[in-house]
Amino acid sequence: MVNEIAGSNNSLGTEEAVSEKLVNLLKCLGKGDDYTDVETAEASIKGFEVVSQGREKYTVYKVEVVYPHSLLRARTIHRRYSDFHQLRAELIRENTELVSSLPFPSKRFFGSNLDKAFLDRRLEGLQVFLRTVLEMKDLKKDKALQSFLSMDSNENSEDATKMLQQQLEETVDVLKDNLRVSHCLQTDLEDLINLKEEKDQEIENLIQENKMLRRKKDSVMKLLRSMLLYDSRARIRMILLGLFINIAKGPKGNSTSITHEENL
């Protein structure tokens, strides 16, 4: 009975987990690439890449956006410095006091914008700005930030498909791991139930053995009492017999003694 209940609860838990993930997936697919839960999102810049487009060269920053409560837990978007600068300008327009004081790397008017040391410093500055913005609840609700963190329609659809496929494969792997763990737990539970039944049977056997020993003890004690009673009666009979013999001999001995005295 316990086994059936445990199995039932385990199945319900697995079904609920799978259903929840499927619902999240449908939400993501139904709302398209614009579906982002900004209020729980986390973002960090993982690096940069210098892109050549004809004669023009510019830097693209790789921003990883993580959604803890979504099936598509992470996605990578590409943003230029000008995109960060535009985000800051739009946030200042709606939240001047909050955003204007936030640190932000300035533009470079002299020297190469493609210098690695300069790009490393700029990346650190942009990272601090983005992390600070995401820590402010009022700013996380802003549409400008929503648009900044969303995947652009001109992003490579093939990369987006690969990312979606990767996330789905990871989710399937997690589900498989959960099922394996659940199966192991179910096996352990069955082993414990079997062990409990064996121990219960051993206890029952000991109880029956104890009852049998008690009955044997009672029988032995009864036999001993009978033997003692018989022995006591036998001794009493012997004593009474001795007394009777002594009494029977006593008067005869006295008459013999009197007759002897008269002859003298």
Side-chain angles (χ1 to χ4, degrees):
M1 182 63 180
V2 176
N3 189 12
E4 293 177 358
I5 294 174
S8 176
N9 290 338
N10 181 53
S11 300
L12 288 175
T14 304
E15 290 176 1
E16 289 176 358
V18 173
S19 298
E20 181 180 356
K21 290 184 177 296
L22 290 176
V23 168
N24 289 334
L25 175 60
L26 291 174
K27 286 181 179 179
C28 293
L29 295 177
K31 296 186 179 181
D33 292 335
D34 291 334
Y35 174 62
T36 53
D37 185 9
V38 178
E39 294 189 13
T40 61
E42 301 172 2
S44 59
I45 305 174
K46 296 300 182 181
F48 60 82
E49 179 182 358
V50 177
V51 178
S52 298
Q53 190 172 4
R55 295 182 179 182
E56 182 185 6
K57 288 186 177 181
Y58 57 89
T59 304
V60 171
Y61 296 90
K62 300 176 182 179
V63 183
E64 183 183 66
V65 186
V66 179
Y67 306 99
H69 304 302
S70 174
L71 180 65
L72 303 179
R73 294 184 299 278
R75 62 174 62 178
T76 300
I77 58 176
H78 301 86
R79 295 291 181 265
R80 298 178 61 174
Y81 172 81
S82 58
D83 296 322
F84 285 93
H85 194 273
Q86 181 181 354
L87 171 64
R88 180 175 181 270
E90 293 179 0
L91 292 176
I92 288 178
R93 190 178 302 115
E94 299 294 333
N95 306 274
T96 304
E97 295 182 359
L98 285 177
V99 182
S100 58
S101 60
L102 297 182
F104 190 85
S106 59
K107 292 184 178 181
R108 188 175 193 179
F109 297 99
F110 301 99
S112 174
N113 287 337
L114 303 179
D115 179 66
K116 186 177 185 305
F118 167 74
L119 291 175
D120 287 335
R121 291 194 301 272
R122 174 173 278 185
L123 185 150
E124 292 178 1
L126 294 174
Q127 182 82 280
V128 171
F129 170 75
L130 183 59
R131 183 170 59 247
T132 305
V133 168
L134 288 173
E135 289 175 353
M136 297 183 176
K137 293 183 179 180
D138 293 337
L139 297 182
K140 292 184 76 171
K141 300 178 181 179
D142 198 288
K143 292 183 178 180
L145 183 60
Q146 170 84 31
S147 176
F148 179 85
L149 295 178
S150 298
M151 185 173 289
D152 294 339
S153 58
N154 59 355
E155 295 266 1
N156 193 324
S157 60
E158 183 178 353
D159 292 340
T161 301
K162 288 181 179 179
M163 182 189 66
L164 177 62
Q165 181 179 358
Q166 180 182 357
Q167 294 296 334
L168 289 174
E169 290 175 354
E170 292 177 359
T171 302
V172 170
D173 290 338
V174 170
L175 289 174
K176 288 180 178 179
D177 290 339
N178 289 339
L179 288 174
R180 281 194 291 269
V181 171
S182 175
H183 177 70
C184 291
L185 291 175
Q186 181 69 18
T187 302
D188 292 341
L189 178 60
E190 291 175 356
D191 292 341
L192 288 174
I193 291 175
N194 292 333
L195 181 61
K196 178 181 178 298
E197 291 177 352
E198 292 176 2
K199 294 300 181 183
D200 289 343
Q201 185 61 44
E202 290 179 4
I203 292 173
E204 181 64 25
N205 292 339
L206 289 174
I207 291 174
Q208 296 299 327
E209 185 177 352
N210 185 45
K211 290 180 179 180
M212 182 180 66
L213 291 174
R214 285 178 177 273
R215 288 195 295 269
K216 289 183 177 180
K217 173 194 167 186
D218 293 340
S219 299
V220 171
M221 293 300 297
K222 185 177 180 180
L223 179 59
L224 287 175
R225 284 195 295 269
S226 299
M227 292 175 65
L228 290 174
L229 181 61
Y230 176 80
D231 185 61
S232 298
R233 290 176 178 177
R235 288 186 179 184
I236 292 172
R237 284 196 297 269
M238 291 296 294
I239 293 172
L240 292 176
L241 182 59
L243 291 173
F244 178 76
I245 293 172
N246 288 333
I247 292 171
K249 288 181 177 180
K252 184 178 180 181
N254 292 336
S255 61
T256 304
S257 177
I258 293 171
T259 306
H260 179 69
E261 289 178 354
E262 288 178 351
N263 291 332
L264 290 175

